[in-house]
Amino acid sequence: MNAIISASELVSELAGEHPPVVLDVRWQLSMAKAAGQPAFDGRAEYGAGHVPGAVFVDLDRELASAPGAAGRHPLPDVAAFGAAMRRAGVSAAVPVVVYDGGQGWAAARAWWLLRWTGHPDVRVLDGGLPAWEGVLSVDVPSPAEGDFEPVPGSVGLLDADGAAALARSGVLFDARAGERYRGDVEPIDPVGGHIPGAVSAPTTENVGVDGRFLPAEELNARFKALGAAGDAEVGVYCGSGVSAAHEVLALAVAGIPAALYVGSWSEWSSDPQRPVAVGPEPQ
C-alpha cells in the first residue's frame, strides 16, 4: 500500500463510488506565542478554505495529550483518539487521506497514529494543500459517525530506553535540523544536542523545493547511506514526535519500516539522568 497520494489521484478518488475520508490537520510549530504574537490557528485556516468534504483535526488536542514529562506531544489517550476519529467519520473499511498546509509534519503525525492503532489504509497528500489544484470549500461537513476502534501496536513505537538501545544496536535517526542535533542552538528544549549514537537525518532533506517527497529510489539511497541497510532496525525521533513522523513516512515511501520515539528530545532532554551528546558525530 502506498503511504502517499498525489493531488490528481485524490481528485479521482473523491469523484469515485467509494471516496476516502479526508482529514485536514493544519498545524505548525510556531514561536509566535512565546514572542507575544498570536499563535498559528489551524482551525481558522481550515475555515478559510479546505478540500471539499475534509474534516478538521486538531493536532494538539486530538493527536496528542497534554505536554508534560513525556514530552510536548505525548501519545493521546487511545479511547479519546478513537472517539475523535469516529467523529471525523473514520471507519475501518474506508480509506483515509490526510493533509496539512504543506510541511507534511502534522499530516504524518495523523497518518502514523492511525497506522499505529490499526487502520489499514491511510495516505498523506503529497505536498499538502498547496498541491491541491481543485476548488476549496468553506462548508463544514457533518460526517456520519465512523466505526474505527483503535488497537495500538500495529507499527513500531519506542520509549526513551528503547531509543537509547536502538541507537547502539541499530539505527536511530534524529529528524531535527542539523544545528539542533549538534547542539549549536536549542530554541525550545532545556538542553541542546542529541541522543548518544543517533545519526543526523533532517526530515527537510526528504522533500524537494515543492514540499513533495523525493522519489522512492532517492529516499532509499539516502537512508541506506546513513546506515539503514541490511537487517538494521530503524527508529526516528525529533523534538516532540511530529517531524519524526514525517521521517517515518519518508522511510515508508522508501520501503524501510521504522519505529517512532514519540517523546523525542522534549522528553529525553527534560530528564537530567539521560546522557546528551553534542557535535556532528553520533558518539
Tab-separated table of all heavy atoms in Angstrom, residues 14 20-24 26 43 46-57 84-90 99 136-145:
chain	number	residue	atom	x	y	z
A	14	LEU	N	-12.007	11.009	-4.942
A	14	LEU	CA	-13.155	11.716	-4.366
A	14	LEU	C	-14.357	11.692	-5.303
A	14	LEU	O	-15.504	11.781	-4.844
A	14	LEU	CB	-12.774	13.163	-4.040
A	14	LEU	CG	-11.842	13.354	-2.830
A	14	LEU	CD1	-11.412	14.810	-2.715
A	14	LEU	CD2	-12.538	12.903	-1.549
A	20	PRO	N	-12.534	8.412	-0.163
A	20	PRO	CA	-11.905	8.311	1.158
A	20	PRO	C	-12.420	9.382	2.106
A	20	PRO	O	-12.971	10.409	1.689
A	20	PRO	CB	-10.426	8.544	0.845
A	20	PRO	CG	-10.453	9.448	-0.352
A	20	PRO	CD	-11.639	8.992	-1.167
A	21	VAL	N	-12.242	9.152	3.385
A	21	VAL	CA	-12.420	10.198	4.390
A	21	VAL	C	-11.189	11.098	4.305
A	21	VAL	O	-10.063	10.603	4.233
A	21	VAL	CB	-12.550	9.591	5.800
A	21	VAL	CG1	-12.487	10.676	6.871
A	21	VAL	CG2	-13.836	8.800	5.910
A	22	VAL	N	-11.405	12.403	4.303
A	22	VAL	CA	-10.294	13.344	4.199
A	22	VAL	C	-10.202	14.157	5.489
A	22	VAL	O	-11.194	14.724	5.955
A	22	VAL	CB	-10.454	14.280	2.990
A	22	VAL	CG1	-9.261	15.239	2.899
A	22	VAL	CG2	-10.583	13.474	1.698
A	23	LEU	N	-9.002	14.193	6.060
A	23	LEU	CA	-8.758	14.922	7.299
A	23	LEU	C	-7.795	16.073	7.042
A	23	LEU	O	-6.751	15.892	6.412
A	23	LEU	CB	-8.174	13.992	8.365
A	23	LEU	CG	-8.962	12.725	8.689
A	23	LEU	CD1	-8.247	11.910	9.758
A	23	LEU	CD2	-10.383	13.056	9.129
A	24	ASP	N	-8.142	17.239	7.534
A	24	ASP	CA	-7.313	18.438	7.437
A	24	ASP	C	-6.634	18.641	8.791
A	24	ASP	O	-7.294	18.871	9.801
A	24	ASP	CB	-8.200	19.641	7.085
A	24	ASP	CG	-7.438	20.952	6.916
A	24	ASP	OD1	-6.602	21.275	7.785
A	24	ASP	OD2	-7.709	21.670	5.946
A	26	ARG	N	-4.078	20.975	9.660
A	26	ARG	CA	-3.160	22.105	9.550
A	26	ARG	C	-2.677	22.554	10.926
A	26	ARG	O	-3.471	22.828	11.825
A	26	ARG	CB	-3.817	23.243	8.779
A	26	ARG	CG	-3.541	23.103	7.284
A	26	ARG	CD	-4.175	24.191	6.480
A	26	ARG	NE	-5.563	23.886	6.182
A	26	ARG	CZ	-6.334	24.666	5.426
A	26	ARG	NH1	-5.842	25.796	4.949
A	26	ARG	NH2	-7.582	24.328	5.178
A	43	ARG	N	-7.480	25.866	12.782
A	43	ARG	CA	-8.929	25.826	12.551
A	43	ARG	C	-9.383	27.026	11.730
A	43	ARG	O	-10.259	26.912	10.864
A	43	ARG	CB	-9.680	25.762	13.876
A	43	ARG	CG	-11.169	25.455	13.728
A	43	ARG	CD	-11.844	25.322	15.083
A	43	ARG	NE	-11.366	24.179	15.818
A	43	ARG	CZ	-11.826	22.939	15.646
A	43	ARG	NH1	-12.769	22.691	14.752
A	43	ARG	NH2	-11.354	21.943	16.385
A	46	TYR	N	-8.444	26.376	8.213
A	46	TYR	CA	-9.412	25.427	7.656
A	46	TYR	C	-10.702	26.152	7.275
A	46	TYR	O	-11.265	25.926	6.191
A	46	TYR	CB	-9.693	24.340	8.688
A	46	TYR	CG	-10.883	23.459	8.392
A	46	TYR	CD1	-10.759	22.367	7.536
A	46	TYR	CD2	-12.136	23.699	8.983
A	46	TYR	CE1	-11.847	21.546	7.274
A	46	TYR	CE2	-13.214	22.881	8.722
A	46	TYR	CZ	-13.074	21.812	7.865
A	46	TYR	OH	-14.156	21.004	7.591
A	47	GLY	N	-11.167	27.019	8.159
A	47	GLY	CA	-12.410	27.735	7.894
A	47	GLY	C	-12.341	28.636	6.687
A	47	GLY	O	-13.361	28.917	6.036
A	48	ALA	N	-11.142	29.097	6.347
A	48	ALA	CA	-10.988	29.985	5.201
A	48	ALA	C	-10.967	29.236	3.878
A	48	ALA	O	-11.083	29.857	2.812
A	48	ALA	CB	-9.698	30.796	5.352
A	49	GLY	N	-10.849	27.922	3.940
A	49	GLY	CA	-10.868	27.132	2.716
A	49	GLY	C	-10.150	25.817	2.879
A	49	GLY	O	-9.033	25.776	3.402
A	50	HIS	N	-10.806	24.725	2.474
A	50	HIS	CA	-10.241	23.388	2.618
A	50	HIS	C	-10.696	22.494	1.483
A	50	HIS	O	-11.604	22.859	0.715
A	50	HIS	CB	-10.646	22.777	3.964
A	50	HIS	CG	-12.128	22.859	4.233
A	50	HIS	ND1	-12.697	23.872	4.959
A	50	HIS	CD2	-13.156	22.065	3.842
A	50	HIS	CE1	-14.002	23.702	5.028
A	50	HIS	NE2	-14.302	22.601	4.353
A	51	VAL	N	-10.077	21.352	1.365
A	51	VAL	CA	-10.516	20.364	0.377
A	51	VAL	C	-11.975	20.025	0.664
A	51	VAL	O	-12.338	19.756	1.819
A	51	VAL	CB	-9.640	19.097	0.449
A	51	VAL	CG1	-10.210	17.996	-0.440
A	51	VAL	CG2	-8.197	19.420	0.045
A	52	PRO	N	-12.842	20.067	-0.344
A	52	PRO	CA	-14.262	19.787	-0.097
A	52	PRO	C	-14.470	18.466	0.639
A	52	PRO	O	-13.913	17.431	0.263
A	52	PRO	CB	-14.849	19.734	-1.514
A	52	PRO	CG	-13.963	20.638	-2.311
A	52	PRO	CD	-12.579	20.421	-1.748
A	53	GLY	N	-15.259	18.528	1.707
A	53	GLY	CA	-15.564	17.339	2.493
A	53	GLY	C	-14.572	17.033	3.588
A	53	GLY	O	-14.828	16.155	4.418
A	54	ALA	N	-13.443	17.732	3.626
A	54	ALA	CA	-12.432	17.464	4.640
A	54	ALA	C	-12.916	17.893	6.018
A	54	ALA	O	-13.622	18.896	6.164
A	54	ALA	CB	-11.131	18.182	4.300
A	55	VAL	N	-12.524	17.131	7.029
A	55	VAL	CA	-12.878	17.419	8.421
A	55	VAL	C	-11.617	17.871	9.157
A	55	VAL	O	-10.564	17.247	9.024
A	55	VAL	CB	-13.466	16.163	9.105
A	55	VAL	CG1	-13.782	16.447	10.573
A	55	VAL	CG2	-14.717	15.697	8.366
A	56	PHE	N	-11.724	18.938	9.920
A	56	PHE	CA	-10.557	19.438	10.642
A	56	PHE	C	-10.254	18.577	11.853
A	56	PHE	O	-11.141	18.181	12.609
A	56	PHE	CB	-10.784	20.883	11.100
A	56	PHE	CG	-9.607	21.464	11.829
A	56	PHE	CD1	-8.457	21.827	11.145
A	56	PHE	CD2	-9.631	21.624	13.213
A	56	PHE	CE1	-7.352	22.339	11.813
A	56	PHE	CE2	-8.539	22.144	13.896
A	56	PHE	CZ	-7.396	22.507	13.187
A	57	VAL	N	-8.961	18.301	12.053
A	57	VAL	CA	-8.480	17.565	13.223
A	57	VAL	C	-7.426	18.430	13.906
A	57	VAL	O	-6.502	18.924	13.248
A	57	VAL	CB	-7.885	16.202	12.822
A	57	VAL	CG1	-7.242	15.523	14.023
A	57	VAL	CG2	-8.969	15.309	12.227
A	84	ALA	N	-12.366	10.759	18.618
A	84	ALA	CA	-12.142	11.880	17.705
A	84	ALA	C	-12.161	11.414	16.258
A	84	ALA	O	-12.727	12.092	15.380
A	84	ALA	CB	-10.820	12.563	18.033
A	85	MET	N	-11.556	10.283	15.991
A	85	MET	CA	-11.538	9.766	14.623
A	85	MET	C	-12.950	9.350	14.170
A	85	MET	O	-13.342	9.592	13.022
A	85	MET	CB	-10.580	8.583	14.518
A	85	MET	CG	-9.110	8.959	14.684
A	85	MET	SD	-8.471	10.140	13.455
A	85	MET	CE	-8.619	11.708	14.346
A	86	ARG	N	-13.705	8.753	15.059
A	86	ARG	CA	-15.065	8.368	14.682
A	86	ARG	C	-15.922	9.610	14.408
A	86	ARG	O	-16.730	9.621	13.469
A	86	ARG	CB	-15.701	7.499	15.771
A	86	ARG	CG	-15.078	6.098	15.875
A	86	ARG	CD	-15.883	5.184	16.778
A	86	ARG	NE	-15.873	5.617	18.171
A	86	ARG	CZ	-14.921	5.305	19.050
A	86	ARG	NH1	-13.881	4.580	18.676
A	86	ARG	NH2	-15.000	5.719	20.307
A	87	ARG	N	-15.739	10.669	15.221
A	87	ARG	CA	-16.472	11.920	14.968
A	87	ARG	C	-16.121	12.494	13.600
A	87	ARG	O	-16.951	13.125	12.955
A	87	ARG	CB	-16.153	12.952	16.053
A	87	ARG	CG	-16.794	12.703	17.391
A	87	ARG	CD	-16.728	13.939	18.274
A	87	ARG	NE	-15.350	14.375	18.517
A	87	ARG	CZ	-14.607	13.945	19.529
A	87	ARG	NH1	-15.093	13.042	20.385
A	87	ARG	NH2	-13.374	14.398	19.690
A	88	ALA	N	-14.891	12.256	13.179
A	88	ALA	CA	-14.453	12.755	11.875
A	88	ALA	C	-14.909	11.858	10.727
A	88	ALA	O	-14.633	12.150	9.566
A	88	ALA	CB	-12.929	12.886	11.859
A	89	GLY	N	-15.599	10.765	11.073
A	89	GLY	CA	-16.126	9.876	10.045
A	89	GLY	C	-15.230	8.718	9.679
A	89	GLY	O	-15.485	8.021	8.686
A	90	VAL	N	-14.185	8.483	10.453
A	90	VAL	CA	-13.233	7.422	10.125
A	90	VAL	C	-13.812	6.053	10.465
A	90	VAL	O	-14.258	5.818	11.592
A	90	VAL	CB	-11.900	7.633	10.870
A	90	VAL	CG1	-10.945	6.464	10.625
A	90	VAL	CG2	-11.252	8.942	10.433
A	99	TYR	N	-4.065	15.573	5.081
A	99	TYR	CA	-3.200	16.618	4.542
A	99	TYR	C	-3.039	17.727	5.570
A	99	TYR	O	-3.791	17.830	6.539
A	99	TYR	CB	-3.750	17.180	3.223
A	99	TYR	CG	-4.980	18.061	3.369
A	99	TYR	CD1	-4.849	19.440	3.586
A	99	TYR	CD2	-6.266	17.527	3.273
A	99	TYR	CE1	-5.976	20.249	3.723
A	99	TYR	CE2	-7.378	18.327	3.401
A	99	TYR	CZ	-7.229	19.692	3.625
A	99	TYR	OH	-8.345	20.491	3.766
A	136	LEU	N	-11.611	25.071	-3.396
A	136	LEU	CA	-11.636	24.964	-1.950
A	136	LEU	C	-13.041	25.259	-1.461
A	136	LEU	O	-13.791	26.006	-2.082
A	136	LEU	CB	-10.646	25.942	-1.313
A	136	LEU	CG	-9.165	25.698	-1.603
A	136	LEU	CD1	-8.325	26.783	-0.948
A	136	LEU	CD2	-8.726	24.321	-1.127
A	137	SER	N	-13.386	24.669	-0.345
A	137	SER	CA	-14.717	24.846	0.234
A	137	SER	C	-14.609	25.499	1.602
A	137	SER	O	-13.613	25.311	2.308
A	137	SER	CB	-15.400	23.481	0.370
A	137	SER	OG	-16.623	23.597	1.067
A	138	VAL	N	-15.629	26.269	1.955
A	138	VAL	CA	-15.718	26.811	3.316
A	138	VAL	C	-16.840	26.130	4.081
A	138	VAL	O	-17.098	26.460	5.245
A	138	VAL	CB	-15.920	28.339	3.307
A	138	VAL	CG1	-14.709	29.031	2.702
A	138	VAL	CG2	-17.192	28.720	2.558
A	139	ASP	N	-17.508	25.186	3.444
A	139	ASP	CA	-18.585	24.450	4.109
A	139	ASP	C	-17.986	23.442	5.096
A	139	ASP	O	-17.054	22.709	4.767
A	139	ASP	CB	-19.439	23.699	3.091
A	139	ASP	CG	-20.170	24.641	2.153
A	139	ASP	OD1	-20.467	25.778	2.566
A	139	ASP	OD2	-20.415	24.250	0.993
A	140	VAL	N	-18.530	23.407	6.298
A	140	VAL	CA	-18.061	22.469	7.312
A	140	VAL	C	-18.946	21.232	7.275
A	140	VAL	O	-20.139	21.310	7.567
A	140	VAL	CB	-18.089	23.105	8.713
A	140	VAL	CG1	-17.643	22.098	9.764
A	140	VAL	CG2	-17.194	24.349	8.748
A	141	PRO	N	-18.400	20.081	6.895
A	141	PRO	CA	-19.225	18.875	6.773
A	141	PRO	C	-19.628	18.317	8.132
A	141	PRO	O	-18.998	18.586	9.152
A	141	PRO	CB	-18.310	17.902	6.030
A	141	PRO	CG	-16.930	18.332	6.415
A	141	PRO	CD	-16.991	19.825	6.547
A	142	SER	N	-20.677	17.529	8.112
A	142	SER	CA	-21.133	16.805	9.307
A	142	SER	C	-21.148	15.324	8.960
A	142	SER	O	-22.198	14.761	8.615
A	142	SER	CB	-22.522	17.277	9.732
A	142	SER	OG	-22.521	18.649	10.062
A	143	PRO	N	-19.996	14.672	9.028
A	143	PRO	CA	-19.914	13.284	8.589
A	143	PRO	C	-20.679	12.343	9.511
A	143	PRO	O	-20.845	12.613	10.702
A	143	PRO	CB	-18.420	12.987	8.632
A	143	PRO	CG	-17.895	13.907	9.685
A	143	PRO	CD	-18.709	15.169	9.546
A	144	ALA	N	-21.123	11.255	8.933
A	144	ALA	CA	-21.730	10.204	9.749
A	144	ALA	C	-20.664	9.620	10.665
A	144	ALA	O	-19.485	9.547	10.312
A	144	ALA	CB	-22.312	9.118	8.856
A	145	GLU	N	-21.064	9.224	11.852
A	145	GLU	CA	-20.129	8.637	12.824
A	145	GLU	C	-19.450	7.417	12.227
A	145	GLU	O	-20.079	6.538	11.635
A	145	GLU	CB	-20.894	8.226	14.084
A	145	GLU	CG	-20.028	7.661	15.186
A	145	GLU	CD	-19.487	8.728	16.143
A	145	GLU	OE1	-19.777	9.922	15.919
A	145	GLU	OE2	-18.810	8.356	17.114
